[in-house]
Amino acid sequence: MYKIIDGKKIAATLREKLKDNVLKFRTERGREIGLAVVLVGNNPASQVYVRNKIKACEEVGIKSFAYYLPENTSQSALEELIVGLAADDGVHGILLQLPLPDGLDSAKALKLIPEEKDVDGFSAFNIGNLCLNATASVACTPLGVMKMLEYEGIEVNGKRAVVLGRSNIVGKPMAMLLLNADATVTVCHSKTHNLEEECRRADILVAAVGRAKFVKQEMVKEGAVVIDVGMNRDENGKLCGDVDFENVKDKCSYITPVPGGVGPMTITMLLYNTYCAAVRR
Ligand code: NAP
């Protein structure tokens, strides 16, 4: 019988703890923890994400500074804002919501976020430290996956983990975190040969491909832990993951649902990274 990993519940538990820690920080140091959120343009999904992030900050007592820039913002105006936030003592973390509208260079803008305020863990410095298994701000989604595994008491050490996807924000940091936790890690991507066979070897399978219901029963080993990072729309426009949940669940020991799995953990890790950035400062 499989167990559903309830990301919503785990996220709520972690946020309660975080709320206490934020309050303690404010009481002991007499100052607020601040997160600046920058949204450029009118992407509807980004607007929802930003709204949720701001709401989540309020919930745990982190002060948020929201900057809504118009679609036609110039690169220099965006960079000027980030440079200002970088120098602002009241801002402990800076989040630049991606994707940016066409014509803006996100890599150039992200480079202006100082590593100690890089709460998304996208900078070369933080990625480098993650690879060195040193203190780092780690990309929120993969960090959230590790916290879920930890919360459920799922052993990673010595396990065979397969990560489907090699993006800089999910697949690669996910693989590195699992490796740091002593799993034997395989990363699969669009050029991988015998992908199904690779997946079938996984004790822990993390799907981050961005393809609706991509992972089928025959790709999953009996008793595997299946973590679904995907957020897609199915043929009826309904939110679904990269895993064909109904088809796969009976083979798993643990499985995450979509929605209500990895998603709620991502924002919680953003709050966690902001708190850690404030403490480190
Ligand atoms: P991405 O940048 O598009 O990367 C997708 C990865 O999947 C790439 O490495 C790609 O391989 C691989 N891939 C695509 N099609 C494949 C196929 N047919 N066979 C094997 N590999 C394939 O996506 P991402 O940003 O990592 O996001 C992945 C998914 O997670 C998306 O659904 C996204 O919405 C979701 N997501 C969710 C959260 C959350 O909070 N829940 C956060 C971030 C992302 P190549 O490198 O070879 O092209």
Side-chain angles (χ1 to χ4, degrees), residues 2 13 42 45 53 87 99 114 136 143 153 166 168-169 183 189 209 238 240 257 259-260 278 281:
Y2 62 89
T13 308
N42 314 313
K53 285 168 187 176
L143 183 61
R166 57 172 167 180
N168 290 335
I169 62 169
H189 47 78
V209 277
K238 207 173 141 219
C240 73
R281 166 109 65 90

Side-chain angles (χ1 to χ4, degrees), residues 56-228:
C57 280
E58 275 166 22
E59 265 174 46
V60 301
I62 290 177
K63 193 172 162 67
S64 61
F65 306 91
Y67 295 87
Y68 300 101
L69 305 184
E71 189 85 21
N72 63 356
T73 297
S74 66
Q75 182 79 24
S76 58
L78 173 62
E79 290 184 4
E80 202 177 306
L81 172 65
I82 295 176
V83 168
L85 294 172
D88 187 337
D89 227 28
V91 172
H92 297 91
I94 304 172
L95 181 138
L96 177 60
Q97 185 65 45
L98 300 178
L100 295 178
D102 288 346
L104 290 178
D105 184 339
S106 55
K108 225 172 136 214
L110 287 171
K111 269 201 180 137
L112 296 171
I113 299 176
E115 55 233 23
E116 67 276 11
K117 295 191 182 187
D118 166 34
V119 282
D120 261 332
F122 292 167
S123 64
F125 176 86
N126 279 312
I127 292 169
N129 274 342
L130 171 62
C131 292
L132 296 171
N133 205 1
T135 304
S137 200
V138 178
C140 301
T141 301
L143 183 61
V145 171
M146 294 307 287
K147 296 278 180 195
M148 288 175 113
L149 296 173
E150 193 184 308
Y151 185 94
E152 292 292 342
I154 295 168
E155 187 71 59
V156 176
N157 182 318
K159 292 288 160 61
R160 197 177 275 277
V162 173
V163 179
L164 272 174
R166 57 172 167 180
S167 72
N168 290 335
I169 62 169
V170 187
K172 282 183 198 163
M174 186 74 253
M176 203 46 72
L177 284 167
L178 289 163
L179 185 62
N180 288 347
D182 295 326
T184 300
V185 184
T186 302
V187 182
C188 296
H189 47 78
S190 66
K191 308 291 185 291
T192 299
H193 292 180
N194 304 323
L195 185 122
E196 292 198 3
E197 210 176 298
E198 295 291 349
C199 291
R200 264 200 304 275
R201 276 202 272 270
D203 300 311
I204 300 171
L205 178 63
V206 182
V209 277
R211 301 253 182 275
K213 302 181 186 175
F214 181 84
V215 175
K216 305 284 184 209
Q217 199 182 63
E218 57 275 17
M219 294 163 73
V220 176
K221 176 172 148 178
E222 196 70 51
V225 175
V226 175
I227 307 289
D228 191 350

Side-chain angles (χ1 to χ4, degrees), residues 18 22 25 33-37 57 60 62-63 90-95 116-120 137 140 267-281:
L18 200 53
V22 170
F25 180 99
I33 298 177
L35 173 69
V37 182
C57 280
V60 301
I62 290 177
K63 193 172 162 67
V91 172
H92 297 91
I94 304 172
L95 181 138
E116 67 276 11
K117 295 191 182 187
D118 166 34
V119 282
D120 261 332
S137 200
C140 301
I267 295 188
T268 305
M269 291 304 105
L270 170 70
L271 305 173
Y272 173 76
N273 280 347
T274 307
Y275 167 74
C276 290
V279 170
R280 282 204 285 270
R281 166 109 65 90

